[in-house]
Every structure is written in structure tokens, then in C-alpha cells.
Amino acid sequence: MNALGWIDPCSPTPQWDTAQIRRLARRLGYPLRWADPASALGLVEQVEAAGAEVVLLSSSAHIDVVTLDRLMSRADVECAAP
């Protein structure tokens, strides 16, 4: 299974969030790739393009409700701290 990690580009603690996602990926046994916040594609489109089956977040606060709904229809979503 491929996992895509995502951190909100406006996060005040990106190093902490990165560590949380890496730890979650390791614990769940997923190889981790990172979504590109500077990409012209949105997160959902990046998930589809990468063929990711799981999106890893440090917290559900890193994406808005509409994106979360769209994302959950295409991939599993795992959060380190819901």
C-alpha cells in the first residue's frame, strides 16, 4: 500500500507534524511519500495521481471538511492525533 503524507503549509509546527506522520507510517507499515503543497494539483488530485491508498495526517485540522470528505471517498485517512 502506498501512503501519502500531508502537512498544512501554514502549520506552526511543521517539524513536529513531520515526525508524527513518519512515526505513524512506520507503526502502520506504510512506505511514505509526501504530497507537494506547492503543486497546482489539490491534495485529492495528488492522491489520485500518486495512486495512494492511504493519506497520513498528524491531525485532522490539517485539511478542511470539504477536502476531508472528498479525500475519504478516494483513500483511507489516518491521523496521528485526531
Coordinates of all heavy atoms in Angstrom, one line a residue:
M1 N 0.8 -1.2 0.0 CA 0.0 0.0 0.0 C 0.9 1.2 0.0 O 1.8 1.3 0.7 CB -0.9 0.0 1.2 CG -2.1 -0.7 1.2 SD -3.1 -0.3 2.6 CE -4.7 -0.6 1.9
N2 N 0.5 2.2 -0.8 CA 1.2 3.5 -0.8 C 0.5 4.5 0.1 O -0.7 4.6 0.1 CB 1.2 4.0 -2.2 CG 2.0 3.2 -3.2 OD1 3.0 2.6 -2.8 ND2 1.6 3.1 -4.4
A3 N 1.3 5.2 0.8 CA 0.8 6.3 1.7 C 1.3 7.6 1.3 O 2.5 7.7 1.0 CB 1.1 6.0 3.2
L4 N 0.5 8.6 1.4 CA 0.9 10.0 1.1 C 0.7 10.8 2.4 O -0.3 10.8 3.0 CB 0.0 10.5 0.0 CG 0.5 11.7 -0.8 CD1 1.8 11.4 -1.5 CD2 -0.6 12.2 -1.8
G5 N 1.8 11.5 2.8 CA 1.7 12.3 3.9 C 1.4 13.7 3.6 O 1.8 14.2 2.5
W6 N 0.6 14.4 4.4 CA 0.2 15.8 4.2 C 0.3 16.6 5.4 O -0.1 16.2 6.5 CB -1.2 15.9 3.7 CG -1.7 17.3 3.5 CD1 -2.6 17.9 4.4 CD2 -1.4 18.2 2.5 NE1 -2.8 19.2 3.9 CE2 -2.1 19.4 2.8 CE3 -0.6 18.1 1.4 CZ2 -2.0 20.5 2.0 CZ3 -0.5 19.3 0.5 CH2 -1.2 20.4 0.8
I7 N 1.0 17.8 5.3 CA 1.0 18.8 6.4 C 0.5 20.1 5.8 O 0.9 20.5 4.7 CB 2.5 19.0 6.9 CG1 3.0 17.6 7.5 CG2 2.5 20.1 7.9 CD1 4.4 17.7 7.8
D8 N -0.3 20.8 6.5 CA -0.8 22.1 6.1 C 0.4 23.0 6.0 O 1.2 23.1 6.9 CB -1.8 22.6 7.1 CG -2.4 23.9 6.8 OD1 -1.9 24.6 5.8 OD2 -3.4 24.3 7.4
P9 N 0.5 23.7 4.8 CA 1.7 24.6 4.7 C 1.7 25.7 5.7 O 2.8 26.3 5.9 CB 1.5 25.2 3.3 CG 0.5 24.4 2.6 CD -0.3 23.6 3.7
C10 N 0.6 26.0 6.3 CA 0.5 27.1 7.3 C 0.7 26.6 8.8 O 0.5 27.3 9.7 CB -0.8 27.8 7.2 SG -1.1 28.6 5.7
S11 N 1.1 25.3 8.9 CA 1.3 24.7 10.2 C 2.4 25.5 11.0 O 3.5 25.7 10.5 CB 1.7 23.3 10.1 OG 2.0 22.7 11.4
P12 N 2.1 25.8 12.3 CA 3.2 26.5 13.1 C 4.3 25.5 13.5 O 5.3 26.0 14.0 CB 2.4 27.1 14.2 CG 1.2 26.2 14.4 CD 0.9 25.7 13.0
T13 N 4.0 24.2 13.4 CA 5.0 23.2 13.9 C 5.3 22.1 12.9 O 5.0 21.0 13.1 CB 4.4 22.6 15.2 OG1 3.2 22.0 14.9 CG2 4.3 23.5 16.3
P14 N 5.8 22.5 11.7 CA 6.0 21.5 10.6 C 7.0 20.4 11.0 O 6.7 19.2 10.6 CB 6.5 22.3 9.5 CG 7.1 23.6 10.1 CD 6.3 23.8 11.3
Q15 N 8.0 20.6 11.8 CA 8.9 19.5 12.2 C 8.2 18.5 13.1 O 8.4 17.3 12.9 CB 10.1 20.1 12.9 CG 11.0 20.9 12.1 CD 10.6 22.4 12.0 OE1 9.7 22.8 12.7 NE2 11.2 23.2 11.1
W16 N 7.4 19.0 14.0 CA 6.6 18.1 14.9 C 5.6 17.3 14.0 O 5.5 16.1 14.2 CB 5.9 18.9 15.9 CG 5.0 18.1 16.8 CD1 3.6 18.0 16.6 CD2 5.3 17.2 17.8 NE1 3.1 17.2 17.6 CE2 4.1 16.6 18.3 CE3 6.5 16.8 18.4 CZ2 4.1 15.7 19.3 CZ3 6.5 15.9 19.4 CH2 5.3 15.4 19.9
D17 N 4.9 17.9 13.1 CA 3.9 17.2 12.3 C 4.6 16.2 11.4 O 4.1 15.1 11.3 CB 3.2 18.2 11.4 CG 2.4 19.2 12.2 OD1 1.8 18.8 13.3 OD2 2.2 20.4 11.8
T18 N 5.8 16.5 10.9 CA 6.5 15.6 10.0 C 6.9 14.4 10.9 O 6.7 13.2 10.4 CB 7.8 16.2 9.5 OG1 7.4 17.3 8.7 CG2 8.6 15.3 8.6
A19 N 7.4 14.6 12.1 CA 7.8 13.5 12.9 C 6.6 12.6 13.3 O 6.7 11.3 13.3 CB 8.4 14.0 14.2
Q20 N 5.4 13.2 13.5 CA 4.2 12.4 13.9 C 3.8 11.6 12.7 O 3.4 10.4 12.9 CB 3.1 13.4 14.3 CG 3.3 14.1 15.5 CD 3.4 13.2 16.7 OE1 2.6 12.3 16.9 NE2 4.4 13.4 17.5
I21 N 3.9 12.1 11.5 CA 3.4 11.3 10.3 C 4.4 10.2 10.0 O 4.0 9.1 9.7 CB 3.3 12.3 9.1 CG1 2.1 13.2 9.4 CG2 3.1 11.5 7.8 CD1 1.9 14.3 8.3
R22 N 5.7 10.5 10.1 CA 6.7 9.4 9.9 C 6.5 8.3 10.9 O 6.6 7.1 10.6 CB 8.1 10.0 10.0 CG 8.5 10.8 8.8 CD 9.9 11.2 8.8 NE 10.2 11.9 7.6 CZ 11.1 12.9 7.5 NH1 11.7 13.4 8.5 NH2 11.3 13.5 6.3
R23 N 6.3 8.7 12.2 CA 6.1 7.7 13.2 C 4.8 6.8 12.9 O 4.9 5.6 13.0 CB 6.0 8.3 14.6 CG 6.0 7.4 15.7 CD 6.1 8.1 17.0 NE 7.0 9.3 16.9 CZ 7.0 10.4 17.5 NH1 6.0 10.6 18.4 NH2 7.8 11.4 17.3
L24 N 3.8 7.5 12.5 CA 2.5 6.8 12.2 C 2.8 5.8 11.0 O 2.3 4.7 11.0 CB 1.4 7.8 11.8 CG 0.1 7.2 11.5 CD1 -0.5 6.4 12.6 CD2 -0.9 8.4 11.1
A25 N 3.4 6.3 9.9 CA 3.7 5.4 8.8 C 4.5 4.2 9.2 O 4.2 3.1 8.8 CB 4.4 6.2 7.7
R26 N 5.5 4.4 10.0 CA 6.4 3.3 10.5 C 5.6 2.3 11.3 O 5.7 1.1 11.1 CB 7.5 3.9 11.3 CG 8.6 2.9 11.6 CD 9.9 3.5 12.2 NE 9.6 4.6 13.2 CZ 9.9 5.9 13.0 NH1 10.3 6.3 11.9 NH2 9.6 6.8 13.9
R27 N 4.7 2.9 12.2 CA 3.9 2.0 13.0 C 2.9 1.2 12.2 O 2.7 0.0 12.5 CB 3.2 2.8 14.1 CG 2.4 2.0 15.1 CD 1.9 2.8 16.3 NE 1.5 4.1 15.9 CZ 0.3 4.6 16.1 NH1 -0.7 3.9 16.6 NH2 0.0 5.9 15.7
L28 N 2.3 1.8 11.2 CA 1.3 1.1 10.4 C 2.0 0.3 9.2 O 1.3 -0.4 8.5 CB 0.3 2.1 9.8 CG -0.5 2.8 10.9 CD1 -1.4 3.8 10.2 CD2 -1.3 1.8 11.7
G29 N 3.3 0.5 9.0 CA 4.0 -0.3 8.0 C 3.8 0.2 6.6 O 3.9 -0.5 5.6
Y30 N 3.6 1.5 6.4 CA 3.4 2.1 5.1 C 4.7 2.8 4.6 O 5.3 3.5 5.4 CB 2.4 3.2 5.1 CG 1.0 2.7 5.3 CD1 0.2 3.2 6.4 CD2 0.4 1.8 4.5 CE1 -1.1 2.7 6.7 CE2 -0.9 1.4 4.7 CZ -1.6 1.8 5.8 OH -2.9 1.4 6.0
P31 N 5.1 2.5 3.3 CA 6.1 3.4 2.8 C 5.5 4.8 2.6 O 4.4 4.9 2.1 CB 6.5 2.7 1.5 CG 5.3 1.8 1.1 CD 4.6 1.5 2.4
L32 N 6.3 5.8 2.9 CA 5.7 7.2 2.9 C 6.3 8.0 1.8 O 7.5 8.1 1.5 CB 6.0 7.8 4.2 CG 5.5 9.2 4.5 CD1 4.0 9.3 4.4 CD2 6.0 9.7 5.8
R33 N 5.4 8.7 1.1 CA 5.7 9.7 0.1 C 5.0 11.0 0.6 O 4.0 10.9 1.3 CB 5.2 9.4 -1.3 CG 5.9 8.2 -1.8 CD 5.4 7.8 -3.2 NE 5.4 8.9 -4.1 CZ 4.8 9.0 -5.2 NH1 4.0 8.0 -5.6 NH2 4.8 10.1 -6.0
W34 N 5.5 12.1 0.2 CA 4.9 13.4 0.6 C 4.1 14.1 -0.5 O 4.6 14.1 -1.6 CB 6.0 14.3 1.2 CG 6.5 13.8 2.5 CD1 7.7 13.1 2.6 CD2 6.0 13.9 3.8 NE1 7.9 12.7 3.9 CE2 6.8 13.3 4.7 CE3 4.8 14.6 4.3 CZ2 6.6 13.2 6.0 CZ3 4.6 14.5 5.6 CH2 5.5 13.9 6.5
A35 N 3.0 14.6 -0.2 CA 2.3 15.5 -1.1 C 3.0 16.8 -1.2 O 3.6 17.2 -0.3 CB 0.8 15.7 -0.6
D36 N 2.9 17.5 -2.3 CA 3.5 18.7 -2.6 C 2.6 19.9 -2.3 O 1.7 20.1 -3.1 CB 4.1 18.8 -4.0 CG 4.9 20.0 -4.3 OD1 5.0 20.9 -3.4 OD2 5.3 20.2 -5.5
P37 N 2.7 20.7 -1.3 CA 1.8 21.8 -1.0 C 1.9 22.9 -2.1 O 1.0 23.7 -2.3 CB 2.2 22.3 0.3 CG 3.6 21.8 0.6 CD 3.8 20.6 -0.3
A38 N 3.0 22.9 -2.9 CA 3.2 23.9 -3.9 C 2.6 23.5 -5.3 O 2.7 24.2 -6.3 CB 4.6 24.3 -4.1
S39 N 2.1 22.3 -5.3 CA 1.6 21.7 -6.6 C 0.4 22.4 -7.1 O -0.4 22.9 -6.3 CB 1.3 20.2 -6.4 OG 0.7 19.7 -7.6
A40 N 0.2 22.5 -8.4 CA -1.0 23.0 -9.0 C -2.2 22.1 -8.7 O -3.4 22.5 -8.7 CB -0.8 23.2 -10.5
L41 N -1.9 20.8 -8.4 CA -3.0 19.9 -8.1 C -3.3 20.0 -6.6 O -2.5 20.2 -5.7 CB -2.5 18.4 -8.3 CG -2.2 18.1 -9.8 CD1 -1.6 16.7 -9.8 CD2 -3.4 18.2 -10.6
G42 N -4.6 19.8 -6.3 CA -5.0 19.8 -4.9 C -4.6 18.5 -4.3 O -4.1 17.6 -5.0
L43 N -4.9 18.4 -3.0 CA -4.5 17.1 -2.3 C -5.2 15.9 -2.8 O -4.6 14.9 -3.1 CB -4.8 17.3 -0.8 CG -4.5 16.0 0.1 CD1 -3.0 15.6 -0.1 CD2 -4.9 16.3 1.5
V44 N -6.5 16.0 -3.1 CA -7.2 14.9 -3.6 C -6.7 14.4 -5.0 O -6.5 13.2 -5.2 CB -8.7 15.2 -3.7 CG1 -9.5 14.0 -4.3 CG2 -9.3 15.5 -2.3
E45 N -6.4 15.4 -5.8 CA -5.8 15.1 -7.1 C -4.4 14.5 -7.0 O -4.1 13.6 -7.8 CB -5.8 16.3 -8.0 CG -7.2 16.8 -8.4 CD -8.0 17.5 -7.3 OE1 -7.4 18.0 -6.3 OE2 -9.2 17.7 -7.5
Q46 N -3.6 14.9 -6.1 CA -2.3 14.3 -5.9 C -2.4 12.9 -5.4 O -1.6 12.1 -5.8 CB -1.5 15.2 -4.8 CG -1.0 16.5 -5.4 CD -0.1 17.2 -4.4 OE1 0.9 16.6 -4.0 NE2 -0.5 18.4 -4.0
V47 N -3.4 12.6 -4.5 CA -3.6 11.3 -4.1 C -4.0 10.4 -5.2 O -3.4 9.3 -5.4 CB -4.8 11.2 -3.0 CG1 -5.2 9.8 -2.7 CG2 -4.3 11.9 -1.7
E48 N -4.9 10.8 -6.1 CA -5.2 10.0 -7.3 C -4.0 9.8 -8.2 O -3.8 8.7 -8.7 CB -6.4 10.7 -8.0 CG -7.7 10.7 -7.3 CD -8.8 11.5 -7.9 OE1 -8.5 12.4 -8.8 OE2 -9.9 11.3 -7.5
A49 N -3.3 10.9 -8.5 CA -2.1 10.8 -9.4 C -1.0 9.9 -8.8 O -0.4 9.2 -9.6 CB -1.6 12.2 -9.6
A50 N -0.9 9.9 -7.5 CA 0.2 9.0 -6.9 C -0.3 7.6 -6.7 O 0.5 6.7 -6.5 CB 0.6 9.6 -5.6
G51 N -1.6 7.3 -6.9 CA -2.1 6.0 -6.6 C -2.1 5.6 -5.2 O -2.0 4.5 -4.8
A52 N -2.1 6.6 -4.3 CA -2.0 6.4 -2.9 C -3.3 5.8 -2.4 O -4.4 6.2 -2.8 CB -1.7 7.7 -2.1
E53 N -3.2 4.9 -1.5 CA -4.4 4.2 -0.9 C -4.7 4.8 0.5 O -5.8 4.6 1.0 CB -4.2 2.7 -0.9 CG -4.1 2.2 -2.3 CD -3.4 0.8 -2.3 OE1 -2.8 0.4 -1.3 OE2 -3.5 0.1 -3.3
V54 N -3.7 5.4 1.1 CA -3.8 6.0 2.4 C -3.2 7.4 2.5 O -2.2 7.6 1.9 CB -3.1 5.1 3.5 CG1 -3.2 5.6 4.9 CG2 -3.6 3.7 3.4
V55 N -3.9 8.3 3.2 CA -3.3 9.6 3.5 C -3.1 9.7 5.0 O -3.9 9.4 5.8 CB -4.3 10.7 3.0 CG1 -3.7 12.1 3.4 CG2 -4.5 10.6 1.5
L56 N -1.8 10.1 5.3 CA -1.5 10.2 6.7 C -1.4 11.7 7.1 O -0.7 12.5 6.4 CB -0.1 9.5 7.0 CG 0.0 8.0 6.6 CD1 1.4 7.5 6.8 CD2 -1.1 7.2 7.4
L57 N -2.0 12.0 8.2 CA -2.0 13.4 8.7 C -1.6 13.3 10.2 O -1.8 12.4 10.9 CB -3.5 13.9 8.7 CG -4.2 13.9 7.4 CD1 -5.7 14.2 7.6 CD2 -3.6 14.9 6.4
S58 N -1.0 14.4 10.6 CA -0.7 14.5 12.0 C -1.9 14.8 12.8 O -2.1 14.4 14.0 CB 0.4 15.5 12.3 OG 0.0 16.8 11.9
S59 N -2.9 15.5 12.2 CA -4.1 15.9 12.8 C -5.2 16.2 11.7 O -4.8 16.6 10.7 CB -3.9 17.1 13.7 OG -5.1 17.8 13.9
S60 N -6.4 15.9 12.0 CA -7.5 16.2 11.0 C -7.6 17.7 10.8 O -8.2 18.2 9.8 CB -8.8 15.6 11.5 OG -9.2 16.2 12.7
A61 N -7.0 18.6 11.6 CA -7.1 20.0 11.5 C -6.2 20.5 10.3 O -6.3 21.7 9.9 CB -6.6 20.7 12.8
H62 N -5.4 19.6 9.7 CA -4.6 20.0 8.6 C -5.3 20.1 7.2 O -4.7 20.5 6.2 CB -3.4 19.0 8.5 CG -2.3 19.3 9.5 ND1 -1.2 20.1 9.2 CD2 -2.3 19.0 10.8 CE1 -0.5 20.2 10.3 NE2 -1.1 19.5 11.3
I63 N -6.6 19.6 7.2 CA -7.4 19.8 6.0 C -8.8 20.2 6.4 O -9.3 20.0 7.5 CB -7.4 18.5 5.2 CG1 -7.9 17.3 6.0 CG2 -6.1 18.2 4.5 CD1 -8.1 16.0 5.2
D64 N -9.4 20.9 5.4 CA -10.8 21.4 5.7 C -11.8 20.3 5.5 O -11.5 19.2 5.0 CB -11.1 22.6 4.8 CG -11.1 22.2 3.3 OD1 -12.0 21.6 2.9 OD2 -10.1 22.6 2.7
V65 N -13.0 20.5 6.0 CA -14.0 19.4 6.0 C -14.4 19.0 4.6 O -14.6 17.8 4.3 CB -15.3 20.0 6.7 CG1 -16.4 19.0 6.7 CG2 -15.0 20.3 8.2
V66 N -14.5 19.9 3.6 CA -14.8 19.5 2.3 C -13.8 18.6 1.6 O -14.1 17.6 1.0 CB -15.1 20.8 1.4 CG1 -15.3 20.4 0.0 CG2 -16.3 21.6 1.9
T67 N -12.5 19.0 1.8 CA -11.4 18.2 1.3 C -11.4 16.8 2.0 O -11.1 15.8 1.3 CB -10.1 18.9 1.5 OG1 -10.1 20.2 0.9 CG2 -8.9 18.1 0.9
L68 N -11.6 16.8 3.3 CA -11.6 15.5 4.0 C -12.7 14.6 3.5 O -12.5 13.4 3.3 CB -11.8 15.8 5.5 CG -11.9 14.5 6.4 CD1 -10.6 13.8 6.3 CD2 -12.2 14.9 7.8
D69 N -13.9 15.2 3.2 CA -15.0 14.4 2.6 C -14.6 13.8 1.3 O -14.8 12.6 1.0 CB -16.2 15.2 2.5 CG -17.4 14.4 2.0 OD1 -17.7 13.4 2.6 OD2 -18.0 14.8 1.0
R70 N -14.0 14.7 0.4 CA -13.6 14.2 -0.9 C -12.5 13.2 -0.8 O -12.5 12.2 -1.5 CB -13.1 15.4 -1.8 CG -14.2 16.3 -2.2 CD -13.7 17.4 -3.1 NE -13.1 16.9 -4.3 CZ -11.9 17.4 -4.8 NH1 -11.4 18.5 -4.3 NH2 -11.4 16.9 -5.9
L71 N -11.6 13.4 0.1 CA -10.5 12.5 0.3 C -10.9 11.1 0.8 O -10.4 10.1 0.3 CB -9.5 13.1 1.3 CG -8.1 12.6 1.5 CD1 -7.4 12.6 0.1 CD2 -7.4 13.4 2.5
M72 N -11.8 11.1 1.7 CA -12.3 9.8 2.3 C -13.0 9.0 1.3 O -13.1 7.8 1.5 CB -13.1 10.1 3.5 CG -12.3 10.6 4.7 SD -13.2 11.0 6.1 CE -14.0 9.5 6.5
S73 N -13.5 9.6 0.2 CA -14.2 8.8 -0.8 C -13.2 8.1 -1.8 O -13.5 7.3 -2.6 CB -15.2 9.6 -1.7 OG -14.5 10.6 -2.5
R74 N -11.9 8.5 -1.7 CA -10.9 8.0 -2.6 C -9.8 7.2 -1.9 O -9.1 6.4 -2.5 CB -10.2 9.1 -3.4 CG -11.2 9.7 -4.4 CD -10.7 11.0 -4.9 NE -11.6 11.5 -6.0 CZ -12.7 12.1 -5.8 NH1 -13.2 12.3 -4.5 NH2 -13.5 12.6 -6.8
A75 N -9.6 7.5 -0.6 CA -8.5 6.8 0.1 C -8.8 6.7 1.6 O -9.7 7.5 2.1 CB -7.2 7.6 0.0
D76 N -8.1 5.9 2.3 CA -8.2 5.8 3.8 C -7.5 7.0 4.3 O -6.5 7.5 3.8 CB -7.6 4.5 4.3 CG -8.4 3.3 4.0 OD1 -9.7 3.5 3.7 OD2 -7.9 2.2 3.9
V77 N -7.9 7.5 5.5 CA -7.3 8.7 6.1 C -6.9 8.2 7.5 O -7.8 7.8 8.3 CB -8.2 9.9 6.1 CG1 -7.5 11.0 6.9 CG2 -8.5 10.3 4.7
E78 N -5.6 8.3 7.9 CA -5.2 8.0 9.2 C -4.6 9.3 9.8 O -3.8 10.0 9.2 CB -4.1 6.9 9.2 CG -4.6 5.6 8.6 CD -5.5 4.8 9.6 OE1 -5.5 5.2 10.8 OE2 -6.2 3.9 9.2
C79 N -4.9 9.5 11.1 CA -4.4 10.7 11.8 C -3.6 10.2 13.0 O -4.0 9.3 13.8 CB -5.5 11.6 12.3 SG -6.5 12.3 10.9
A80 N -2.5 10.9 13.3 CA -1.7 10.6 14.5 C -2.4 11.1 15.7 O -2.4 10.4 16.7 CB -0.3 11.2 14.4
A81 N -3.1 12.2 15.6 CA -3.8 12.8 16.7 C -5.1 13.3 16.2 O -5.1 14.5 15.7 CB -3.0 13.8 17.4
P82 N -6.2 12.6 16.2 CA -7.5 13.0 15.6 C -8.0 14.3 16.2 O -7.9 14.8 17.2 CB -8.4 11.9 15.9 CG -7.6 10.8 16.4 CD -6.3 11.3 16.8

